[in-house]
Amino acid sequence: MSPPRLIRNPRWTRTLAFKAAAFITVMCCALATMLGVLVHVQVTNQTVGQSRDVALSRLAEATDAYEAGDALSPNAGVDPAGLPRELKALAAAGERGTMVADYRGRPLMWAAGPAAGGKALAVAVEYGQQARTIEALDNAILWSSGLAIGVTLLVGAVAVARVTRRLQATAQVARRISAGDLDARVDDPLAKESRQDEVAAVASALDRMAASLQGKLLSEQRFTADVAHELRTPLTGLHAAAELLPPGRPTELVRDRVAALRTLTEDLLEISRLDTGKEQLDIGAVELGALAHRVVAASGAAADVVVKEDRVVETDRRRLERVLGNLVSNAHRHGSEPVVVTVDGPVVSVRDHGGGYPEYLVLHGPQRFRTEGGARGHGLGLTIAVGQAEALGARLAFGNALEGGAVATLTLPSGSSPST
């Protein structure tokens, strides 16, 4: 037996405009119902009370005439036809009472009292006009309530739509900022007033946050670029001096550290260029299978290349090689062999069999120089890979395999063709 399907409400029912409209409608209906019931009860009691007084007055006149032996009026009689049984029984018990009942399609107000022989002396008063008055009042209440609800709902919808448009504009700007557009601003016109509403306060806070974030990022970018440029000159001299040292183990150690420092400086320069977003692409046809083999060969480390479906893509070959090269290098440096590079159409994955990526990296992506729990950090290689992938219009995701090991998946843009 298949499990019951979960019925979801339409997406538009979760919007603020719909919820506000539903709330306004429910409150208007409740208020109109309460007022309508109060007016109906008040007018009905007043109308029935007046008719009851008239009927009892005529019953008193008929009783006097009956006791005096005079002729009764046309609307009075003893046990007349149409007298309700409840009222007849009440009169037979020696009590007086009134009741509204239909007789031959006409609403009548009956008043009855005791007569000789356990019979009932009753009079009937025309009640049609009063009934029509109450019916007209009820219709007027319904029409006026519907009109009031419609007008209130229309005015409320206009007011709520204005607020929701401002909220949607604020949310759109927030999404643009999260996507990297730090120049995006809400510029809510009400944010400049001395008395801001809540939406304007949120928009103003978002604009200030974006400006502060932009300023800090620009300062970081300038600092990174300045440090990298300033380091190049002394590093060039240090490299030249290291080459003049006599052969030996100390010289090898010095040259190795100088080379590492030069690589770090070049990485910082590349990051600063990526941060500016002014990189120019050199687009050309690239066969992914052959490129994966070249990257593995250039890395100088053992790695398996598996081509499930080769593909020719239009992209920047140099940048794509840098992305895959950084992923392979990171897999060897921080993971364990075997390292496997898989080409499956426009998707290229790099997997190692180590301890996997840290949780923060899987959730939020690589962060420059971050370490966690005393573990060794991932440096700038993955950060550069992500930046180059974004420049190519590709998507680079990080995850961990169920069997263990880190998996980096690069998905290139569509528009590629299978390799022949």
Side-chain angles (χ1 to χ4, degrees), residues 59 66 77-80 83-84 87-92 95 111-123:
L59 177 63
Y66 176 75
V78 177
D79 289 343
L83 180 65
L87 198 56
K88 184 176 181 181
L90 183 65
E95 301 289 340
K119 295 182 179 181
L121 175 63
V123 295

Side-chain angles (χ1 to χ4, degrees), residues 281 388-395 411-413:
L281 299 180
Q388 294 288 12
E390 292 177 353
L392 294 174
R395 182 170 59 89
T411 304
L412 294 164

Side-chain angles (χ1 to χ4, degrees), residues 2-206:
S2 59
R5 294 181 59 187
L6 180 63
I7 300 177
R8 296 182 179 273
N9 293 330
R11 187 174 182 179
W12 55 268
T13 60
R14 299 193 291 270
T15 61
L16 179 61
F18 173 80
K19 293 178 181 178
F23 176 77
I24 293 173
T25 302
V26 170
M27 293 303 297
C28 287
C29 289
L31 182 61
T33 301
M34 182 180 67
L35 293 177
V37 170
L38 289 176
V39 172
H40 171 82
V41 171
Q42 183 68 25
V43 173
T44 300
N45 288 340
Q46 182 179 2
T47 304
V48 171
Q50 292 174 352
S51 297
R52 181 182 291 113
D53 292 341
V54 172
L56 290 175
S57 175
R58 293 185 181 180
L59 177 63
E61 295 175 357
T63 300
D64 293 340
Y66 176 75
E67 291 176 350
D70 296 337
L72 299 177
S73 63
N75 293 329
V78 177
D79 289 343
L83 180 65
R85 287 179 297 177
E86 298 87 346
L87 198 56
K88 184 176 181 181
L90 183 65
E95 301 289 340
R96 283 189 173 191
T98 59
M99 182 181 233
V100 177
D102 288 342
Y103 178 63
R104 294 180 179 178
R106 296 166 52 205
L108 299 174
M109 172 64 78
W110 292 92
K119 295 182 179 181
L121 175 63
V123 295
V125 177
E126 185 68 34
Y127 191 73
Q129 181 63 39
Q130 292 84 343
R132 287 190 293 271
T133 300
I134 294 175
E135 183 180 2
L137 175 65
D138 291 342
N139 291 332
I141 291 174
L142 290 176
W143 280 105
S144 60
S145 298
L147 180 61
I149 291 173
V151 172
T152 304
L153 185 60
L154 180 61
V155 174
V158 172
V160 171
R162 185 168 178 265
V163 174
T164 54
R165 281 196 300 269
R166 293 168 62 197
L167 287 174
Q168 289 171 354
T170 303
Q172 180 63 28
V173 170
R175 285 191 289 267
R176 288 172 57 190
I177 293 173
S178 64
D181 183 8
L182 298 181
D183 292 324
R185 298 291 185 272
V186 180
D187 290 331
D188 193 301
L190 298 181
K192 300 178 181 179
E193 297 183 1
S194 57
R195 295 183 178 180
Q196 300 178 354
D197 60 7
E198 289 79 0
V199 179
V202 172
S204 178
L206 180 63

Side-chain angles (χ1 to χ4, degrees), residues 24-373:
I24 293 173
T25 302
V26 170
M27 293 303 297
C28 287
C29 289
L31 182 61
T33 301
M34 182 180 67
L35 293 177
V37 170
L38 289 176
V39 172
H40 171 82
V41 171
Q42 183 68 25
V43 173
T44 300
N45 288 340
Q46 182 179 2
T47 304
V48 171
Q50 292 174 352
S51 297
R52 181 182 291 113
D53 292 341
V54 172
L56 290 175
S57 175
R58 293 185 181 180
L59 177 63
E61 295 175 357
T63 300
D64 293 340
Y66 176 75
E67 291 176 350
D70 296 337
L72 299 177
S73 63
N75 293 329
V78 177
D79 289 343
L83 180 65
R85 287 179 297 177
E86 298 87 346
L87 198 56
K88 184 176 181 181
L90 183 65
E95 301 289 340
R96 283 189 173 191
T98 59
M99 182 181 233
V100 177
D102 288 342
Y103 178 63
R104 294 180 179 178
R106 296 166 52 205
L108 299 174
M109 172 64 78
W110 292 92
K119 295 182 179 181
L121 175 63
V123 295
V125 177
E126 185 68 34
Y127 191 73
Q129 181 63 39
Q130 292 84 343
R132 287 190 293 271
T133 300
I134 294 175
E135 183 180 2
L137 175 65
D138 291 342
N139 291 332
I141 291 174
L142 290 176
W143 280 105
S144 60
S145 298
L147 180 61
I149 291 173
V151 172
T152 304
L153 185 60
L154 180 61
V155 174
V158 172
V160 171
R162 185 168 178 265
V163 174
T164 54
R165 281 196 300 269
R166 293 168 62 197
L167 287 174
Q168 289 171 354
T170 303
Q172 180 63 28
V173 170
R175 285 191 289 267
R176 288 172 57 190
I177 293 173
S178 64
D181 183 8
L182 298 181
D183 292 324
R185 298 291 185 272
V186 180
D187 290 331
D188 193 301
L190 298 181
K192 300 178 181 179
E193 297 183 1
S194 57
R195 295 183 178 180
Q196 300 178 354
D197 60 7
E198 289 79 0
V199 179
V202 172
S204 178
L206 180 63
D207 286 347
R208 290 195 299 269
M209 181 197 70
S212 175
L213 180 62
Q214 185 179 35
K216 291 180 180 179
L217 288 178
L218 289 176
S219 297
E220 180 185 343
Q221 292 172 8
R222 285 194 297 268
F223 175 78
T224 302
D226 292 344
V227 168
H229 281 93
E230 292 298 327
L231 285 175
R232 294 184 76 178
T233 301
L235 278 176
T236 302
L238 188 59
H239 177 72
E243 293 296 325
L244 299 176
L245 293 175
R249 181 60 179 167
T251 299
E252 293 178 1
L253 292 176
V254 171
R255 290 176 179 175
D256 178 70
R257 292 300 86 195
V258 170
L261 194 55
R262 291 188 68 182
T263 301
L264 177 60
T265 303
E266 294 300 326
D267 288 345
L268 288 173
L269 285 172
E270 185 167 0
I271 285 179
S272 66
R273 288 193 295 268
L274 289 172
D275 286 340
T276 60
K278 298 179 181 179
E279 293 283 332
Q280 299 294 325
L281 299 180
D282 183 13
I283 301 298
V286 177
E287 187 177 348
L288 292 181
L291 183 137
H293 283 286
R294 287 198 304 270
V295 168
V296 170
S299 68
D304 298 328
V305 178
V306 179
V307 180
K308 294 182 178 179
E309 178 188 346
D310 205 354
R311 186 66 61 95
V312 174
V313 297
E314 294 292 330
T315 187
D316 188 321
R317 181 186 59 80
R318 183 187 64 83
R319 296 181 187 276
L320 183 56
E321 287 181 347
R322 184 66 193 273
V323 173
L324 295 181
N326 283 12
L327 295 178
V328 172
S329 175
N330 184 82
H332 282 288
R333 184 178 298 117
H334 300 284
S336 299
E337 295 184 354
V339 175
V340 181
V341 180
T342 303
V343 177
D344 188 2
V347 179
V348 182
S349 61
V350 179
R351 177 188 175 185
D352 62 57
H353 289 74
Y357 290 121
E359 183 178 359
Y360 78 86
L361 193 147
V362 175
L363 295 176
H364 306 292
Q367 300 176 27
R368 301 172 188 180
F369 301 111
R370 173 168 176 172
T371 60
E372 195 163 278

